[in-house]
Amino acid sequence: MAVRPITVIGHKALHSPTKKVREVTEEVRTLVADMFETMEAAEGVGLAANQVASRLRIFVYDCPVPEGPNARGVVVNPVLERLGTPAPLDPEEDGEGCLSVPGEWFPLARHPRARVTGTDLDGNEVVVEGEGLLARCLQHETDHLDGYLYLDRLTGPVKAEAREAVKDRGWADEGVLRWDPTSTTADEV
């Protein structure tokens, strides 16, 4: 297993829809193992394959839930179902971050529950349903695989604030397209 560099906003992989996994090969298994290692090194709760520059439709997650152990797993070829109606935006409660927009957090209203269906690495059906942070994670990671960053879903003054933060970080200007979670923290990128 290896920690892979994480793509940063401005990298074309983050705005390209991913491709369906046709066969789980040893390369795919290695990718998934590396994704778990990378997510852990970056202290994230989810990671999509295009965040480590792979075009495959896969995400991993290790997300705290209110009771019991973390929800942890891999979903190959996920299909998302958003459940419920998003509540009005609460800037204090609805903060969201992203390993591809390191060190930044912005409020984003999400559906209160979500369900993802797909398969695991052995081809077994996987159904992950959650609310709260897990629902946010499922929506966030599936968005990645569809070519969207959470910043793309922001509106109004929050969207303008996010654009300014990205500009201030100089990611597009300086060509910073990846960061290594073993040598830097998200705040240092």
Side-chain angles (χ1 to χ4, degrees):
M1 294 188 298
V3 174
R4 297 186 183 203
I6 297 175
T7 57
V8 175
I9 186 170
H11 193 290
K12 67 180 180 178
L14 296 173
H15 287 289
S16 302
T18 53
K19 297 179 181 181
K20 187 174 182 176
V21 176
R22 303 271 180 221
E23 178 183 5
V24 175
T25 62
E26 281 308 308
E27 289 176 352
V28 170
R29 290 179 185 281
T30 299
L31 169 66
V32 169
D34 290 354
M35 288 171 65
F36 274 113
E37 184 102 357
T38 302
M39 178 180 59
E40 183 178 312
E43 300 179 2
V45 298
L47 187 69
N50 53 346
Q51 289 183 275
V52 292
S54 170
R55 296 287 312 274
L56 296 177
R57 191 166 181 79
I58 301 170
F59 74 78
V60 299
Y61 61 98
D62 190 355
C63 189
V65 292
E67 295 178 20
N70 283 5
R72 180 180 168 90
V74 58
V75 184
V76 177
N77 299 325
V79 175
L80 173 68
E81 184 179 356
R82 292 173 176 89
L83 303 169
T85 303
L89 183 64
D90 180 344
E92 298 297 317
E93 296 292 322
D94 293 329
E96 190 163 325
C98 179
L99 296 176
S100 291
V101 188
E104 299 294 340
W105 291 81
F106 297 99
L108 175 63
R110 293 275 193 180
H111 292 263
R113 296 179 305 127
R115 179 183 305 121
V116 168
T117 57
T119 61
D120 64 15
L121 293 176
D122 296 320
N124 301 311
E125 182 181 27
V126 171
V127 178
V128 183
E129 187 169 337
E131 57 186 40
L133 181 59
L134 181 56
R136 183 175 294 278
C137 177
L138 297 174
Q139 293 169 78
H140 181 108
E141 300 310 328
T142 306
D143 273 355
H144 272 302
L145 299 176
D146 292 336
Y148 296 99
L149 289 170
Y150 85 105
L151 299 183
D152 299 327
R153 298 207 180 277
L154 298 176
T155 59
V158 175
K159 187 174 193 101
E161 183 183 340
R163 280 191 194 131
E164 193 63 32
V166 168
K167 182 180 173 187
D168 288 349
R169 293 275 190 151
W171 288 323
D173 298 339
E174 297 173 20
V176 176
L177 298 178
R178 291 187 173 94
W179 70 281
D180 180 352
T182 63
S183 63
T184 58
T185 68
D187 292 326
E188 295 171 334
V189 178

